[in-house]
Amino acid sequence: MVNISKSFNNVEANKNITFCVNYGEIYALLGENGAGKSTLVNILSGVYRPDSGEIYVHGEKKRFGDPRDSINSGIGMIYQHFKLIENMTATENIILGQKLGHIINKKKLRKTIIDISEKYGFKVDPDKYIFDMSVGEKQNVEILKVLYRSADILILDEPTAVLTPQETEKLFKILLKMKEQGCAVILITHKLQEVMDISDRITILRNGEVVDTVQTSETNQKDLTAMMIGKSIDLSIERHPILEKEVILEIKNLCLVDRDGVKRLDNISFQVRSGEIFGIAGIAGSGQKELCESIQGLERRKKGQILFKGEDIARLTTREIFERGLRISFIPEDRLGMGLVPTMDIVDNVIMKDYYLQKGIFLDRQPARIRSEYIVKILNILTPGINYPVNRLSGGNIQKVLLGRELDSNPDFLITAYPTRGLDIGSSRRIYNELNRQKMKGIGILYVGEDLNVLLNLCDRIMVLSQGKVMGIVDASRMTNEKLGFMMLGGKE
């Protein structure tokens, strides 16, 4: 990619970016939220067209009008959020959108998929349905989709975000095998240790420009962070002692069965103390979402007790909990689907929290404007202004708007589901520091996370869920990544 530039509404996302990826190389793109990584790879995958600059693939100059042009040039994009149809098999997902004619030779097709799997070290059952697969298996299907289309340049966006350490290790073996076969792999991630472990070269972006391109063997995490942010920061996560011992939340024998009759929560029991960060670990779909929504009053099909400050709130709605003066704030996993109204600006999203408490027919927006300005300042949200629609912000800045609004309501208890997902290292540190600040104020915190290193260093105790069951509640200071990963896959403490 040579001198690539792209602007949106007078905002320069990419400014004359030049980089090249070699055959048989794992190449990492690093940068804070809003640095221009996503825009750059979306240009490479045909989603956006650059305002200026040139793209060369295998030595030939290319002009991509849409994603199909990029795919036909041998480029495959594997997104963080899988693009799979759950009630189809692996084979059906792999061939979806392909022109195969009216008659499909299923035996030949199956053999082709198995041959590709064996070539790169995959273990995929072509006839297995997606809804029966683990997260790691689903990711393998996503990679097979692009390999089946003869892609030899692969772009992976946060590929380990929801994987256990064991699944991450398997993925890295596959990527190294692809590297041996001559493929070029472009890796976008915020996990610096993974970049150091797997990549050959790294390009660092800041404010839409290339800061530097370095050999992985000649750098370290501290230097990479300084280049990303523009200054050195402390990478350690501090765990403060618990100052209070009072139990603020107690769950007793909580069960939940969904509309399809599947048991999502199976006899869950635990306690959280004031001033404690209580972690929840588990592979995706282990019951984390249902647990958070049950406590918040969003999920009603449940049995058991949810005692908050000694009061059973299991049968109350979210508003009923709020009106009783029980302050529980919730940062959901789906930040735009559940947490915020995408087309509204920051001010209106702040008002949404308690607008119905205002008297009269007209809303007084001035208090919300003041609170919005404070949230933008304290969390360093990159936005043209507080009246800018949140869906036009980067994913990390959207998450900071949501976190800021929930903390602004002065909660007694905070439920956070993947609060740093998609955030760069600098923004993540601000979130961890803010959670510790809330902890020192005596607020109980339920922290659902995917980065095991963060869970082990930030949380006081960790409950591990697997298929809706508790595998154990452990002291975070005495655990390892490997033991947590073993429990997440169904092993008992």
Side-chain angles (χ1 to χ4, degrees):
M1 302 184 81
V2 182
N3 295 325
I4 298 293
S5 294
K6 179 69 177 178
S7 297
F8 300 95
N9 297 326
N10 298 320
V11 176
E12 289 185 287
N14 291 155
K15 307 172 192 176
N16 296 315
I17 292 180
T18 296
F19 78 92
C20 66
V21 185
N22 302 316
Y23 294 99
E25 180 180 41
I26 297 177
Y27 183 94
L29 279 175
L30 283 182
E32 290 190 278
N33 298 114
K37 305 185 301 297
S38 296
T39 300
L40 192 64
V41 295
N42 277 328
I43 290 171
L44 188 56
S45 59
V47 175
Y48 297 150
R49 296 183 186 182
D51 298 332
S52 61
E54 299 170 338
I55 300 172
Y56 295 87
V57 182
H58 302 304
E60 295 183 14
K61 187 176 179 179
K62 298 289 183 180
R63 186 176 182 85
F64 301 145
D66 56 44
R68 189 173 294 276
D69 292 338
S70 176
I71 291 169
N72 292 337
S73 297
I75 298 171
M77 180 81 184
I78 295 105
Y79 293 92
Q80 178 183 348
H81 302 291
F82 304 143
K83 313 293 183 182
L84 300 171
I85 297 177
E86 292 282 326
N87 60 348
M88 283 187 173
T89 64
T91 299
E92 290 168 338
N93 272 278
I94 288 167
I95 66 171
L96 198 63
Q98 297 290 292
K99 294 180 180 179
L100 300 174
H102 298 292
I103 301 174
I104 299 174
N105 187 331
K106 292 184 179 180
K107 187 175 180 180
K108 183 180 179 181
L109 182 61
R110 193 177 189 278
K111 185 180 185 304
T112 301
I113 292 171
I114 291 173
D115 287 344
I116 296 172
S117 300
E118 291 177 350
K119 179 180 178 181
Y120 294 104
F122 288 91
K123 287 186 179 178
V124 172
D125 180 355
D127 304 317
K128 192 172 183 178
Y129 283 90
I130 302 300
F131 62 73
D132 281 332
M133 293 185 177
S134 68
V135 177
E137 288 176 311
K138 290 177 182 179
Q139 190 170 67
N140 287 346
V141 174
E142 284 282 18
I143 297 173
L144 273 172
K145 276 170 61 178
V146 298
L147 292 175
Y148 180 81
R149 292 162 170 77
S150 301
D152 55 5
I153 302 169
L154 280 83
I155 308 166
L156 293 96
D157 185 11
E158 298 286 350
T160 64
V162 292
L163 300 184
T164 65
Q166 290 85 347
E167 289 172 323
T168 298
E169 186 179 345
K170 289 178 183 176
L171 173 65
F172 284 179
K173 286 179 180 178
I174 291 169
L175 296 183
L176 290 171
K177 189 75 174 178
M178 294 168 69
K179 172 184 170 180
E180 290 174 9
Q181 299 287 343
C183 291
V185 178
I186 300 173
L187 185 67
I188 301 172
T189 180
H190 290 118
K191 299 180 181 179
L192 295 184
Q193 186 57 56
E194 293 180 358
V195 170
M196 298 300 298
D197 289 342
I198 195 73
S199 69
D200 298 298
R201 285 190 302 142
I202 307 164
T203 285
I204 301 95
L205 302 181
R206 188 169 73 237
N207 298 326
E209 298 180 281
V210 173
V211 176
D212 200 357
T213 297
V214 297
Q215 296 287 336
T216 306
S217 59
E218 298 174 0
T219 190
N220 56 60
Q221 293 188 43
K222 188 175 181 180
D223 289 346
L224 290 173
T225 303
M227 284 187 280
M228 287 167 55
I229 299 174
K231 61 182 179 180
S232 297
I233 65 168
D234 184 5
L235 294 176
S236 62
I237 301 174
E238 191 174 359
R239 178 167 44 225
H240 296 284
I242 302 173
L243 300 180
E244 300 184 34
K245 302 296 181 181
E246 180 186 356
V247 173
I248 189 170
L249 176 74
E250 184 173 9
I251 307 294
K252 290 185 177 181
N253 305 317
L254 185 63
C255 297
L256 188 145
V257 178
D258 67 15
R259 291 183 178 87
D260 298 322
V262 178
K263 187 173 282 189
R264 296 297 181 185
L265 297 175
D266 190 355
N267 207 33
I268 305 290
S269 297
F270 64 92
Q271 295 178 337
V272 183
R273 292 168 286 179
S274 296
E276 177 183 27
I277 301 180
F278 187 86
I280 306 291
I283 60 175
S286 293
Q288 302 97 314
K289 179 176 181 287
E290 290 79 6
L291 175 61
C292 292
E293 292 182 2
S294 293
I295 298 170
Q296 181 64 13
L298 297 170
E299 182 56 78
R300 309 298 301 279
R301 303 182 306 271
K302 54 183 180 282
K303 295 180 181 179
Q305 288 184 297
I306 301 174
L307 302 174
F308 185 70
K309 290 187 170 182
E311 185 173 349
D312 191 354
I313 62 172
R315 306 293 172 264
L316 301 182
T317 65
T318 302
R319 182 168 292 187
E320 287 170 342
I321 293 171
F322 185 79
E323 289 175 344
R324 292 195 183 193
L326 304 173
R327 305 296 186 183
I328 301 176
S329 284
F330 181 32
I331 300 166
E333 178 180 0
D334 186 359
R335 60 188 72 151
L336 285 179
M338 282 183 64
L340 300 167
V341 180
T343 54
M344 284 185 175
D345 60 25
I346 298 175
V347 175
D348 283 347
N349 271 289
V350 168
I351 289 175
M352 288 291 288
K353 185 77 176 175
D354 54 10
Y355 71 93
Y356 65 94
L357 296 178
Q358 291 194 25
K359 296 179 180 179
I361 61 173
F362 297 106
L363 285 174
D364 181 5
R365 283 182 162 78
Q366 186 57 27
R369 290 191 187 99
I370 295 171
R371 287 153 58 194
S372 298
E373 293 282 8
Y374 176 76
I375 290 168
V376 168
K377 180 180 178 181
I378 200 72
L379 292 178
N380 193 29
I381 298 170
L382 299 178
T383 174
I386 58 174
N387 298 115
Y388 194 70
V390 295
N391 63 352
R392 294 186 184 177
L393 301 175
S394 69
N397 286 302
I398 291 170
Q399 185 76 327
K400 286 192 277 187
V401 170
L402 177 55
L403 176 68
R405 185 192 69 185
E406 294 304 305
L407 292 179
D408 182 66
S409 64
N410 296 315
D412 297 313
F413 193 82
L414 178 63
I415 303 169
T416 61
Y418 312 105
T420 60
R421 177 178 284 175
L423 267 64
D424 57 70
I425 192 166
S427 299
S428 296
R429 286 302 177 282
R430 290 189 191 95
I431 302 298
Y432 304 145
N433 290 338
E434 186 60 36
L435 292 178
N436 269 320
R437 194 170 74 86
Q438 299 298 320
K439 172 183 177 177
M440 298 305 288
K441 288 167 60 178
I443 293 173
I445 299 171
L446 189 74
Y447 181 94
V448 181
E450 56 201 4
D451 189 322
L452 300 191
N453 287 321
V454 173
L455 281 164
L456 291 172
N457 287 286
L458 179 69
C459 300
D460 300 292
R461 291 183 297 148
I462 302 170
M463 180 173 74
V464 184
L465 292 177
S466 179
Q467 297 181 340
K469 296 181 180 180
V470 176
M471 294 295 105
I473 299 175
V474 299
D475 184 339
S477 64
R478 299 178 183 177
M479 285 297 287
T480 64
N481 283 19
E482 291 72 25
K483 288 179 182 178
L484 273 185
F486 171 74
M487 295 170 68
M488 288 164 67
L489 293 171
K492 282 287 185 180
E493 178 191 354

